[in-house]
Structure formats: C-alpha cells, structure tokens
Amino acid sequence: MNPKLLPERIVCLTEETTETLYLLGEEHRIVGISGFTVRPPRARKEKPKVSAFTSAKIDKILDLQPDLVLGFSNLQADIARDLIKAGITVHVFNHRSVDGILAMIRTLGALVGVEDKARALIDSLSAHMETVRRGAESLPVRPRVYFEEWDQPLISGILWVSELIALAGGENVFAEFAAQPLAGGRIIQDPHEVVRRAPDIIVGSWCGKKFRPEQVAARAGWETIPAVRDGELHEIKSSDILQPGPAALTDGLDQLAGIVRRWAENRA
C-alpha cells in the first residue's frame, strides 16, 4: 500500500487498540488515547488522554486533527456519531470472543499497512494460548469457575473470558450467559443461583474498582459455596482481562491458568 494513504494521526478510544499498535511498533501514529489506558504504561506518559469510555472530549479530538479514530462497541456509538458528523473517519470494532480479538489485530494491522507484523503477533498469541491449553490437559480435575464482572448487579463474564476459562482448564458455571454481548444480558437476577451452581473458584474483575473478596464472602448464603468455604476468591484486574486485546490472551489467561492449576494441584 502507498504509505501516503495510511493513517498517520490515530486516536484510540479504548486501550486494546493502543496496546496493539505499540506491539506492532506503530505507536508513532497514535496522537490520543483513552484515559483508562494502562497498557503499555508508557502510553500514558507519551500520549494525550482525550476520552473516558462512554464519553470523549470531541473538541480536543478534533484539535488533534486525526485521520482515523478507533473505537469499540455500541457503547461508543454516540462518540462515533459526533466524530463522523464532524468529518472524521471512524472505525468501531465490536468483537466479543477470542477469535474476534485476533481478527481485530489482523484488521488493525491492515489499516496501518503492517499485515506481516499483525500476522506474526497473531501467531505468537495463538501459540501461547495453545501452550496453556495443552498444559491444562494434564490437570487431574477441572474446577467450576464463577467469573464476576460486576457486583451491583451481579454480572458474569463475557464470551472471551468464558473461552479463556476453558483454555485455562476450568468450567464456567454461567457459560450459557457468555454469548450475550451486552452486560445486561449477563445479569444474574438471583444471587442464590451462584450458590446453587457451587463454583470451586470465584474470580472477580470489577471494572473500575478493586475486587473485595470479603464482601463476596459475606453475601447471604454464600458461605456454603466451595470457593468461599475454601478461600478461593481471586482478583484479576480488569485491564488484564476485560479489555478485548492482547493483554487478555497473555496476562489475563496466564493468571487464570495459575489460579486453576494451584487449585487442581491442591486437590490431586
């Protein structure tokens, strides 16, 4: 592709595209990022912050004169609309699965003209996931896992999280909810349903706030849950697993795998 046709001033409204562009060695194209970005850490020092998640400083973005803005999901539809009305080119990803994350990397690589680098990154991530999957095959037992994305109301994990739990050697106790793309479709209406499903492990990743295992353990009736009884309540930071990008397939998956393996080995 003619280099002159490639975007040179990109604003990333969510973290995963920022992280991916850095991994592709194309961070020089980024002129603005989300205020929630923590990966890579140096991005916060190098790039101006122009958005939250469902809101953005439209004037500030326009001042940066971007030739491409990257967003994610229906939750950023209003931001995308305002930018499009202002004449800005916008690409909004809407992926919710492991395959979707890999497809996002491939598409982003194509957008900035580095298809080979994107393919290499995808191959590396795929190989890592396969290594974790094979390691999980040797586990003597597979734990039942409840992943809590939010606590008020209770929201179970999205599809890529459910897929990562399986790769790590666990069984998602609310797997039937995982395919629901919107958080509202994954609300657990009756907290006692978690009790009935008796997870061996509870993983909390409360987006935007610290997971409080003592609050979980204190919920009415939850003392009978194996995970609560055995002290198997763990936090994985949302930046490591709830951003649909490379971090989830590396740090997020590795933390899940470590939690599952330690539980299994203690029961061998």
Side-chain angles (χ1 to χ4, degrees), residues 137-203:
E137 288 180 344
S138 65
L139 295 177
V141 61
R142 296 175 69 91
R144 294 168 56 77
V145 180
Y146 167 51
F147 187 98
E148 188 170 283
E149 192 173 304
W150 192 246
D151 64 325
Q152 297 176 335
L154 303 186
I155 298 177
S156 60
I158 198 166
L159 182 54
W160 73 77
V161 171
S162 186
E163 293 171 332
L164 294 178
I165 290 171
L167 283 172
E171 297 179 2
N172 179 11
V173 297
F174 286 101
E176 76 274 21
F177 289 177
Q180 295 293 326
L182 304 183
R186 290 178 276 112
I187 292 175
I188 301 167
Q189 300 291 348
D190 179 6
H192 283 88
E193 184 59 28
V194 181
V195 180
R196 287 188 285 272
R197 299 197 183 198
D200 300 298
I201 294 171
I202 294 175
V203 177

Side-chain angles (χ1 to χ4, degrees), residues 38-51:
V38 296
R39 300 176 64 99
R42 66 187 182 97
R44 292 185 64 84
K45 301 175 183 178
E46 297 174 347
K47 309 295 181 179
K49 293 174 279 293
V50 297
S51 69

Side-chain angles (χ1 to χ4, degrees), residues 43-254:
R44 292 185 64 84
K45 301 175 183 178
E46 297 174 347
K47 309 295 181 179
K49 293 174 279 293
V50 297
S51 69
F53 186 62
T54 58
S55 63
K57 301 172 183 176
I58 300 299
D59 290 344
K60 192 170 182 179
I61 293 174
L62 296 178
D63 288 344
L64 292 171
Q65 298 181 329
D67 46 21
L68 177 64
V69 173
L70 301 171
F72 172 72
S73 88
N74 57 295
L75 294 176
Q76 294 192 325
D78 289 346
I79 302 173
R81 177 201 61 207
D82 292 345
L83 291 170
I84 291 168
K85 284 183 176 180
I88 302 299
T89 298
V90 179
H91 185 103
V92 177
F93 292 99
N94 210 16
H95 53 289
R96 314 292 173 124
S97 66
V98 169
D99 283 347
I101 293 172
L102 298 177
M104 177 275 291
I105 295 170
R106 183 182 65 246
T107 299
L108 185 52
L111 286 172
V112 298
V114 291
E115 291 91 338
D116 290 347
K117 288 182 180 179
R119 191 176 304 111
L121 177 56
I122 290 168
D123 288 346
S124 175
L125 293 169
S126 298
H128 179 72
M129 288 187 287
E130 179 62 13
T131 297
V132 173
R133 186 194 67 78
R134 288 182 178 176
E137 288 180 344
S138 65
L139 295 177
V141 61
R142 296 175 69 91
R144 294 168 56 77
V145 180
Y146 167 51
F147 187 98
E148 188 170 283
E149 192 173 304
W150 192 246
D151 64 325
Q152 297 176 335
L154 303 186
I155 298 177
S156 60
I158 198 166
L159 182 54
W160 73 77
V161 171
S162 186
E163 293 171 332
L164 294 178
I165 290 171
L167 283 172
E171 297 179 2
N172 179 11
V173 297
F174 286 101
E176 76 274 21
F177 289 177
Q180 295 293 326
L182 304 183
R186 290 178 276 112
I187 292 175
I188 301 167
Q189 300 291 348
D190 179 6
H192 283 88
E193 184 59 28
V194 181
V195 180
R196 287 188 285 272
R197 299 197 183 198
D200 300 298
I201 294 171
I202 294 175
V203 177
S205 188
W206 296 348
C207 192
K209 65 179 181 179
K210 183 174 176 58
F211 177 62
R212 298 292 183 183
E214 71 281 3
Q215 294 179 9
V216 174
R219 291 172 184 167
W222 281 42
E223 68 276 1
T224 63
I225 296 174
V228 175
R229 181 195 64 210
D230 300 335
E232 292 287 350
L233 291 86
H234 306 273
E235 179 180 26
I236 298 178
K237 291 182 179 179
S238 57
S239 59
D240 289 341
I241 198 165
L242 289 182
Q243 298 283 2
L249 310 186
T250 52
D251 288 359
L253 175 57
D254 289 349

